[in-house]
Amino acid sequence: MKIDLIKDKKKLILLFLGYSFTPSSVRHLNLEDYGLCVVYDYSDLWFDYEILKDREIYLIAWSMGVWAANLVLKDIKLKTAVAINGTPFGIDDEFGIKKDIFYKSISDYDFEGFKKLCFLGISENKIKGFQFNRNAKFELINLYKNASQKNEDHINWNKAIISKKDLIFPSKVCLDYFKQKAVCINAPHFVFFKFKSFGEIFEI
């Protein structure tokens, strides 16, 4: 995992991004009184716990980042935890992206097609400055190889934000898993243009 400490404050937003995305995708969001640490690129699953020491952790996990956060934050005290368009099981035939469908995304690899499904009509100008993992296929393969590393949900999720127009992670799966914790919004898989600040994500 890559870990970028964007702004260091005691009140720290710990953001686990989805597959292939980098911190450039959330730079439009106002931090208000929070610090920000972004976790991304799951080509390996090593996590540096020192960065969390003596901080209040406000977790936001998106897409496969929900699975990754659940994997590494087993014994970490969190002030709040928000899951977005993903479940702690990631690649799973019951509570995730079905294994055969995920494998097909490797065998029929089409990164540009994946991006179109993520943004679903969002203007090219809005995503012009986005950077993506240059080794995205390797990251995808590693996610598939490590899909079984999930025994149970280790996080007490306060809320799950689920997009009605998600073409990547099935919204029905997220609704079935999170049930009464779910909040539905009219957005594609990439939700962050729906918000102006990280605070709005916690308040929705």
Side-chain angles (χ1 to χ4, degrees), residues 5 7-13 32-36 54-56:
L5 184 59
K7 182 180 180 181
D8 192 7
K9 293 194 77 169
K10 185 175 178 63
K11 289 173 60 176
L12 186 70
I13 293 171
E32 299 170 328
D33 295 327
Y34 298 98
L36 176 64
D54 300 323
R55 292 175 175 88
E56 297 176 1

Side-chain angles (χ1 to χ4, degrees), residues 62 85 116-122 163-167 185-192 194:
W62 169 56
N85 290 340
K116 287 178 182 177
L117 292 177
C118 281
F119 297 116
L120 203 62
I122 292 172
S163 291
K164 295 177 182 177
K165 298 188 288 185
D166 194 340
L167 297 182
I185 62 172
N186 187 28
H189 185 65
F190 184 83
V191 301
F192 295 104
K194 293 289 288 184

Side-chain angles (χ1 to χ4, degrees), residues 154-171:
H154 301 289
I155 294 173
N156 180 24
W157 300 96
N158 298 89
K159 178 168 51 187
I161 299 172
I162 300 169
S163 291
K164 295 177 182 177
K165 298 188 288 185
D166 194 340
L167 297 182
I168 300 294
F169 211 107
S171 55

